[in-house]
Amino acid sequence: MIQVVDEAKQEAVREACALLRAGEIVALPTETVYGLAADALNPDAVAKIFAAKERPSFDPLIVHIRSLGDLQQVALVPEAIAETVSQLAAAFWPGPLTLILPKHPDIPDLVTSGLPTVAVRQSAHPVFRAVQKAFGRPIAAPSANRFGRISPTSATAVLKELGGRIPLVIDAGACGEGLESTILSIEPRPHKKPIFRIHRAGPITKEQLQEFGKVEKMKEAPENQPCAPGQLPSHYAPMTPLILLENPADFHPEPGKKYGLLSYRGDDDGPYVALHDWEQVEALSPGSGKLAEAATRLFFVMRLLDEAGLDAIIAEPLSETGLGVAIMDRLRRASARP
Ligand code: AMP
Ligand code: MG
């Protein structure tokens, strides 16, 4: 396949790579959301990610590698799960699946928040891959937003979150997936498929993973365990209060207050659109209701409503199958107040 890379993109890639080499941070597009990238092996560079995001040091970062061949630079894959890791990588990499594996000693503790494990994935975005190919080292990249806020799915959103704090954002348009990667840990079992635990629901669904292992519910983390914000009840939150309204009958608007509706399809006959004289209605997948489109647009639509000067955003629930699980996970966390 011949890929035509235009001049501007090559220039941007060179600049990003030079900044990474100098121990700086840069915002790069990935297929999930925009990421804030730094050299994963340089703790001073990684510290700048935490500073720019105001991210607490107990929240570990995802490390991005160029290919499965680079995995041994960042993780020590136990023999008992080596085949499963190869199968998952063959099926889903490059792509939005992050694996939690025992960490390589070269990975700074700051990256993993002192955990003995590291979260690893390979991004499919052509710009991210071009930067990584030129840079040649593993890249730590969490979402390019301030801590706890809505993840950015466009360069404009990155600038709103981190403008003035970072030297470069590469703009490659809207992110294709729109939701953060699925995060998975693997527990081997003798003579049986391994057990998978989904730490964060994402674009790779439970149904897709079942072929390779037995997907089980996450065990509740003990209270004193470092808990990552991707797993905190309140995360991905707009500034405007967001209420996930599981039952339309539970809506009791206060007089004089402005409410906006975050709807799935936005159809006028639906029980949510007809419920109230909304100040604004935004649909995740207008008309037809496609989960993939809803996922791609979720954070964009949340931002639109957040900027509309409303008193509250009311979100309509989606059915929790396939990608609906990850979308509902984000809506629940966005609606939880810290
Ligand atoms: P972000 O890249 O901003 O989407 O956040 C990365 C998320 O990955 C964190 O918030 C954690 O939920 C998760 N994570 C990273 N490393 C680990 C790890 N070693 N164990 C469990 N979860 C992790
Ligand atoms: Mg994040």
Side-chain angles (χ1 to χ4, degrees):
M1 193 176 81
I2 299 169
Q3 199 192 358
V4 182
V5 180
D6 67 41
E7 280 300 307
K9 181 177 152 193
Q10 283 196 23
E11 186 49 46
V13 167
R14 264 198 297 274
E15 202 181 326
C17 185
L19 284 164
L20 290 173
R21 287 224 169 90
E24 281 302 327
I25 49 177
V26 290
L28 301 176
T30 84
E31 74 277 37
T32 57
V33 302
Y34 273 72
L36 185 58
D39 180 349
L41 303 178
N42 177 346
D44 295 335
V46 170
K48 292 179 186 169
I49 293 181
F50 283 89
K53 283 182 57 94
E54 297 169 43
R55 182 167 172 127
S57 59
F58 64 77
D59 184 10
L61 307 179
I62 293 174
V63 173
H64 297 71
I65 53 174
R66 287 175 302 181
S67 65
L68 183 59
D70 284 350
L71 186 58
Q72 71 241 39
Q73 290 176 21
V74 301
L76 305 170
V77 182
E79 189 51 42
I81 60 166
E83 199 187 325
T84 303
V85 169
S86 302
Q87 287 171 349
L88 290 171
F92 302 112
W93 282 1
L97 179 69
T98 297
L99 300 178
I100 296 176
L101 297 166
K103 100 177 187 61
H104 188 287
D106 285 354
I107 298 292
D109 285 333
L110 186 57
V111 170
T112 64
S113 302
L115 291 172
T117 52
V118 61
V120 189
R121 85 172 185 104
Q122 188 193 344
S123 171
H125 197 289
V127 172
F128 193 97
R129 294 183 66 166
V131 172
Q132 191 152 36
K133 190 169 165 220
F135 182 50
R137 286 159 71 88
I139 291 177
S143 52
N145 52 280
R146 274 172 287 152
F147 176 66
R149 297 284 321 277
I150 307 172
S151 297
T153 50
S154 68
T156 320
V158 174
L159 286 176
K160 282 186 187 153
E161 289 287 327
L162 300 175
R165 299 179 180 200
I166 55 175
L168 178 71
V169 184
I170 297 191
D171 185 351
C175 300
E177 300 284 355
L179 288 181
E180 303 83 352
S181 59
T182 304
I183 302 181
L184 190 74
S185 63
I186 308 165
E187 197 182 295
R189 291 189 298 177
H191 315 300
K192 278 190 179 168
K193 280 187 181 176
I195 293 186
F196 289 163
R197 292 207 166 79
I198 297 179
H199 294 240
R200 175 172 73 190
I204 304 296
T205 61
K206 180 181 170 184
E207 290 82 353
Q208 287 173 285
L209 293 165
Q210 264 156 352
E211 186 186 329
F212 306 94
K214 185 167 183 284
V215 182
E216 284 198 355
K217 270 211 149 66
M218 278 287 292
K219 290 182 199 135
E220 290 294 316
E223 252 174 46
N224 54 359
Q225 192 120 332
C227 180
Q231 290 134 41
L232 285 179
S234 170
H235 205 57
Y236 314 111
M239 307 295 268
T240 314
L242 183 144
I243 299 159
L244 176 60
L245 191 66
E246 307 256 6
N247 179 359
D250 292 340
F251 182 53
H252 307 291
E254 287 178 42
K257 292 222 163 155
K258 289 192 246 170
Y259 296 92
L261 179 69
L262 193 161
S263 170
Y264 180 31
R265 295 190 177 86
D267 52 357
D268 291 344
D269 305 334
Y272 284 86
V273 176
L275 187 64
H276 182 72
D277 184 15
W278 305 102
E279 189 76 18
Q280 189 166 336
V281 176
E282 296 291 344
L284 293 177
S285 181
S288 53
K290 292 196 178 65
L291 284 173
E293 185 184 29
T296 306
R297 284 172 45 81
L298 176 69
F299 290 138
F300 168 73
V301 167
M302 258 196 218
R303 272 179 195 280
L304 268 186
L305 288 166
D306 199 16
E307 288 163 6
L310 302 164
D311 291 297
I313 301 166
I314 306 299
E316 189 182 304
L318 280 73
S319 87
E320 287 185 80
T321 51
L323 262 179
V325 176
I327 298 172
M328 282 294 279
D329 168 78
R330 303 307 187 272
L331 287 175
R332 282 207 179 90
R333 291 180 209 275
S335 70
R337 290 285 114 189

